[in-house]
Amino acid sequence: MTARRINWTPWFLVGPALLVLAIFFALPLLTLLSGSFERLDTGSFVITERLTLFNYRRFLFDGYYLSVLLTTLKMALMVTFTTLVMGYPLAAYLTRAGQRERAALMLLIVSPLLVSVVIRSLGWIIILGPRGLISWVLQGVGLASAPVNLIYTQVAVVIGLAHVFSPFMVLAIYAALRNIDPAVGRAAQSLGAGPIRTFWQVTFPLSIPGVVSGSLIVFALSTSAFVTPTLLGGPWVKVVAYLAWEQNSTVLDWPFAGAISMILLVITVLIVTISNRLVERRWFAGSFQ
Amino acid sequence: MLRAFAYFVAAILLAPLVAIMATSFTTLSYVSFPPVGFTWRWYGEAFSKWEFLQSLI
């Protein structure tokens, strides 16, 4: 019997990247995980227990922390829905636009990512504040008699997050739509389907992979967003990332901050994985045969 | 209609930047919409502030 020879070439190629990931991604995460099982006495800053679920119990059996978690997930869902509804038509139009128009629109679409988060949020404060654009328009039209303040509400946070994460949604859907063979749509129309039926029965199902990947990216980014909710939500809208930061930097309870981070991570990963599986089963069961 | 909606969305994406640019020329000393008047005063103040130039560089 000849000994199986191991082909080392792929390992040499992937090695540097693997090493960087292990040091800068896996190691901090493992440190966070092991730290989250410790119990810190915040009065004396002494670790009283090494292996306990105290921090997890403290989060999961507390109405305040759970309500913050629920707010975070709810807002992430609203952000995903908003970017999908606003982004899909934009992506669909991109596939029909001419080359120069598409290039110009592309620049507009990625523009939120090119601007600093502070400037972006200040812009939204100008628009949503009591002396802002929306308040001015509503008062002008007569729908409001007093200045309308949307700043420091969940609506403001959802708008701000949808604004910055929309490029991920639009580009994912656009990539999926562009890969659809135009002949498929023509075939549907030649068989008697109108434009609406062609869209819902042919184009949209074929673009589902883009919709799913865009939604998952936007949802995962929204649950862990920190700066935008802090600037636009102010003291009244708290998110889980803020709780973790608060414990980390103000209370200095690192084990509890670690536990909060792990809970958010696990819940986000679970939701993303489960919804991905469900969609795959629903839409792609035996479709590629 | 698709085109109109696409440009509507693009306009929303650009709105915060436009709002900031517009209000940077206002003669008021607080942020308000619509902007009142036109002045370069705030640019002058920003560039005459040592902290701003220091952090910019």
Side-chain angles (χ1 to χ4, degrees), chain B residues 2-56:
Chain B
L2 186 64
R3 185 191 186 126
F5 190 80
Y7 274 94
F8 169 67
V9 174
I12 293 179
L13 292 180
L14 212 59
L17 291 182
V18 177
I20 283 200
M21 282 178 207
T23 44
S24 72
F25 295 109
T26 184
T27 49
L28 297 173
S29 54
Y30 52 88
V31 166
S32 170
F33 203 94
V36 180
F38 183 90
T39 175
W40 287 99
R41 183 183 149 204
W42 306 114
Y43 289 88
E45 282 203 10
F47 281 109
S48 60
K49 272 213 194 327
W50 186 82
E51 301 98 305
F52 173 73
L53 289 174
Q54 183 76 9
S55 58
L56 187 71

Side-chain angles (χ1 to χ4, degrees), chain A residues 185-203:
Chain A
R186 286 202 296 271
Q189 300 210 315
S190 79
L191 291 169
I196 292 172
R197 191 161 171 207
T198 308
F199 174 77
W200 283 114
Q201 293 204 334
V202 179
T203 315

Side-chain angles (χ1 to χ4, degrees), chain A residues 120-200:
Chain A
R120 233 187 295 122
S121 304
L122 177 63
W124 281 117
I125 290 173
I126 294 173
I127 292 176
L128 302 170
R131 290 179 177 280
L133 173 70
I134 291 184
S135 175
W136 177 60
V137 170
L138 286 180
Q139 281 176 288
V141 176
L143 282 171
S145 49
V148 181
N149 188 19
L150 291 171
I151 286 299
Y152 300 151
T153 63
Q154 292 186 14
V155 178
V157 178
V158 169
I159 291 176
L161 288 177
H163 179 232
V164 60
F165 295 143
S166 61
F168 299 104
M169 184 66 94
V170 176
L171 295 182
I173 296 174
Y174 172 62
L177 283 174
R178 208 183 39 182
N179 282 335
I180 299 174
D181 189 348
V184 180
R186 286 202 296 271
Q189 300 210 315
S190 79
L191 291 169
I196 292 172
R197 191 161 171 207
T198 308
F199 174 77
W200 283 114

Side-chain angles (χ1 to χ4, degrees), chain A residues 61-109:
Chain A
F61 290 98
D62 186 302
Y64 169 65
Y65 294 132
L66 284 181
S67 76
V68 172
L69 178 65
L70 210 66
T71 310
T72 308
L73 295 176
K74 194 183 83 186
M75 287 197 304
L77 207 64
M78 280 157 71
V79 170
T80 312
F81 183 74
T82 312
T83 51
L84 178 60
V85 171
M86 304 294 265
Y88 198 103
L90 186 53
Y93 180 68
L94 271 185
T95 59
R96 295 182 200 181
Q99 207 163 13
R100 297 184 72 175
E101 193 184 10
R102 187 160 62 218
L105 277 173
M106 274 297 187
L107 190 66
L108 274 183
I109 289 163

